[in-house]
Amino acid sequence: MSNVTVVGAQWGDEGKGKIVDWLSNEADIVVRFQGGNNAGHTIVVKKKKIALSLIPSGIIRKDKVSIIGNGVVVNPIALLDEINKLALAGIKITRKNLKISENASIIFSFHKQIDEIREKRKGPNKIGTTGRGIGPAYEDRVGRRAVRFADLINDKILKEKIKNALDYHNILLAGLNSKLLSEKNIYDEINSYKKRILKFVDRISPILKHAKNKGKKILFEGAQGILLDVDHGTYPFVTSSNTLPSAASTGTGVPIKELGYVLGIVKAYTTRVGSGPFPTELSDLIGQRLGEIGNEFGTVTGRQRRCGWFDSIITRHSMDVAGIDGIALTKLDVLDSFKEIKICVGYKLNNKKIDYFPLSEIDQRNIKPIYETHEGWLQTTQGARTWSDLPALAIKYVRRIEELLETQVSILSTSPKREDTILVKNPFIG
């Protein structure tokens, strides 16, 4: 088994960037398969923080090919800005090491405009989107009116696609008493990036098929987390795409049986950005302390993350629907200074104990966590690179998480640095 698919097993922000960066050392190709520039990865190399939103984390390594798959909705302006920032950090981006799928859909400025208008109108019931137009762009794709990168090379087709988009969106904007879109403005936007972006556009299927035939290793990189999946997450407070490993197949064109080892990234506690249910959220000094120690601010938005204790029930829900083979446990070191550490092992709903995560929105609002309490280790785990470097109580905590999730920890991360990693089982070997 030579391929690995990486997904977040909570609400995103689990530390996928570091893990994908670490795994990409062994991969030949890294493919992003869903989401847009609403998701961010922060990786630390030589004490320098690098934030990525669209480009796969493998881009910072030499001789690796990074691919943005067809399942991603791409804002070309944001992508070019990211390329420029990486260039300033000394990372050269060329058509040789970065490729965009020709059938990936484009995010326009009007998608962002519509996103912001709709969120504002919802008031206190807002979803908590990043306002980057991800949802409206996915809606256009499903509604068969999206403009894809392949459309940019044919003016006749492009004109038809733009007219189709205008016919739909101007009706909505008129109903919202907002300024209508013009064909000229959309053409001007396209022309501002068309020449620069097209050099990265390519047919992806032959590249991945050739890699398979040559025995190359492919790393499939997901965005957000399973609990934000549009079908299996905390609906309606979810993203607009499927975040399950199966989306790596639809989002790249690779058969599902070739996705390889499924690695779920799990934070040693729980965080969430935006609105929606969060059973173990701590709105007290402990929650504040978790956020401060863990530097819990969104990579893309800078918004403060909501923090709480580890929730084994909701995480096990992710494990079950995703078919995760093993987990990478991150940010264990954030818990080093806590005298007591709690794990949610069940819920109370209508005065009854349940051991599953309900899918009903009203039930998700009303569940209360049932905790078991663990003694904190009160020693540093930061920088540990072997099990023998860890305090006994920290190991006990990790083993309890494995027991509750019924899944082995394959990788343990003890700091943002790529080298501070304990490898238990190499996912590329399976």
Side-chain angles (χ1 to χ4, degrees):
M1 193 178 291
S2 60
N3 297 338
V4 174
T5 299
V6 174
V7 292
Q10 292 155 310
W11 278 291
D13 305 311
E14 302 95 349
K16 291 185 294 295
K18 173 191 169 172
I19 302 300
V20 171
D21 166 58
W22 193 86
L23 289 169
S24 65
N25 186 48
E26 291 198 36
D28 300 292
I29 298 175
V30 184
V31 191
R32 169 81 177 273
F33 60 83
Q34 51 78 219
N37 62 317
N38 56 337
H41 297 329
T42 301
I43 51 182
V44 180
V45 182
K46 296 180 180 179
K47 298 183 179 180
K48 182 187 292 184
K49 285 187 178 181
I50 299 177
L52 301 172
S53 294
L54 281 166
I55 301 176
S57 303
I59 197 69
I60 67 170
R61 293 187 182 271
K62 292 182 179 180
D63 304 319
K64 310 291 180 181
V65 177
S66 290
I67 294 175
I68 298 174
N70 61 275
V72 181
V73 286
V74 182
N75 181 329
I77 297 172
L79 177 57
L80 289 170
D81 182 57
E82 195 167 311
I83 289 171
N84 290 335
K85 287 179 179 178
L86 286 169
L88 291 174
I91 300 168
K92 189 176 180 181
I93 311 296
T94 68
R95 63 175 289 114
K96 188 175 181 180
N97 66 350
L98 176 65
K99 298 181 183 296
I100 307 168
S101 175
E102 62 182 350
N103 56 332
S105 300
I106 296 174
I107 297 176
F108 289 98
S109 296
F110 69 77
H111 288 127
K112 293 173 61 180
Q113 177 188 350
I114 292 167
D115 201 355
E116 290 166 358
I117 291 171
R118 293 195 310 202
E119 275 289 272
K120 188 175 181 180
R121 285 176 65 88
K122 288 175 184 174
N125 296 317
K126 65 181 181 180
I127 300 297
T129 75
T130 60
R132 281 161 170 75
I134 309 302
Y138 271 115
E139 289 171 27
D140 274 1
R141 193 177 78 165
V142 174
R144 294 165 292 185
R145 56 184 170 268
V147 176
R148 306 195 296 180
F149 284 96
D151 300 326
L152 299 183
I153 61 175
N154 187 298
D155 285 340
K156 182 181 178 182
I157 291 294
L158 183 58
K159 186 175 182 178
E160 292 174 1
K161 291 289 185 83
I162 291 174
K163 183 181 183 301
N164 191 31
L166 286 176
D167 287 345
Y168 177 81
H169 288 292
N170 276 337
I171 293 173
L172 293 181
L173 290 169
L176 294 168
N177 295 317
S178 297
K179 184 179 178 181
L180 302 186
L181 306 173
S182 76
E183 196 170 310
K184 182 182 182 302
N185 285 344
I186 296 176
Y187 268 115
D188 287 346
E189 183 174 325
I190 291 171
N191 287 331
S192 73
Y193 57 70
K194 181 177 175 179
K195 186 176 180 181
R196 289 179 294 162
I197 207 76
L198 278 177
K199 67 180 181 181
F200 298 106
V201 177
D202 210 335
R203 293 181 64 228
I204 300 306
S205 292
I207 296 170
L208 296 178
K209 185 176 181 180
H210 181 263
K212 175 199 170 187
N213 293 339
K214 291 292 183 179
K216 301 285 187 180
K217 295 177 182 178
I218 303 173
L219 180 60
F220 298 94
E221 176 184 357
Q224 291 111 3
I226 301 300
L227 299 177
L228 291 174
D229 185 273
V230 70
D231 288 301
H232 299 282
T234 49
Y235 190 90
F237 302 96
V238 292
T239 194
S240 299
S241 61
N242 287 110
T243 59
L244 269 65
S246 54
S249 176
T250 56
T252 62
V254 170
I256 197 165
K257 63 184 179 181
E258 295 174 15
L259 298 182
Y261 188 96
V262 178
L263 181 70
I265 315 301
V266 177
K267 192 179 285 186
Y269 49 103
T270 311
T271 61
R272 177 167 198 171
V273 171
S275 306
F278 185 170
T280 64
E281 182 174 10
L282 298 169
S283 301
D284 56 14
L285 290 177
I286 295 176
Q288 182 181 334
R289 193 167 150 214
L290 279 170
E292 289 172 353
I293 298 172
N295 191 29
E296 295 296 350
F297 295 91
T299 301
V300 170
T301 63
R303 290 183 295 181
Q304 188 169 356
R305 296 173 185 141
R306 301 153 64 190
C307 297
W309 294 121
F310 184 79
D311 187 336
S312 69
I313 303 300
I314 204 167
T315 309
R316 197 173 67 217
H317 165 77
S318 293
M319 315 298 283
D320 291 343
V321 298
I324 289 171
D325 296 307
I327 65 174
L329 189 66
T330 65
K331 304 191 85 165
L332 182 70
D333 54 298
V334 173
L335 301 177
D336 286 351
S337 62
F338 289 85
K339 291 182 180 180
E340 287 187 347
I341 301 169
K342 295 184 179 182
I343 297 177
C344 173
V345 295
Y347 299 131
K348 273 192 177 180
L349 177 64
N350 301 324
N351 294 319
K352 292 182 179 180
K353 183 178 179 180
I354 60 173
D355 61 357
Y356 63 90
F357 183 68
L359 295 182
S360 161
E361 184 180 346
I362 190 65
D363 286 347
Q364 290 178 5
R365 291 181 190 175
N366 293 329
I367 53 177
K368 303 296 181 186
I370 298 172
Y371 289 117
E372 64 179 28
T373 302
H374 293 254
E375 182 183 353
W377 44 91
L378 298 177
Q379 300 176 56
T380 185
T381 61
Q382 190 164 30
R385 298 179 188 177
T386 66
W387 283 107
S388 60
D389 293 334
L390 294 173
L393 288 174
I395 294 174
K396 184 179 179 182
Y397 181 78
V398 174
R399 296 303 185 207
R400 181 56 175 155
I401 288 177
E402 287 183 319
E403 183 180 30
L404 290 166
L405 299 184
E406 300 177 349
T407 309
Q408 182 186 26
V409 169
S410 299
I411 297 172
L412 184 65
S413 172
T414 58
S415 94
K417 297 178 183 177
R418 64 162 58 145
E419 59 269 20
D420 292 342
T421 305
I422 299 173
L423 177 64
V424 181
K425 184 176 184 180
N426 190 332
F428 278 111
I429 295 175

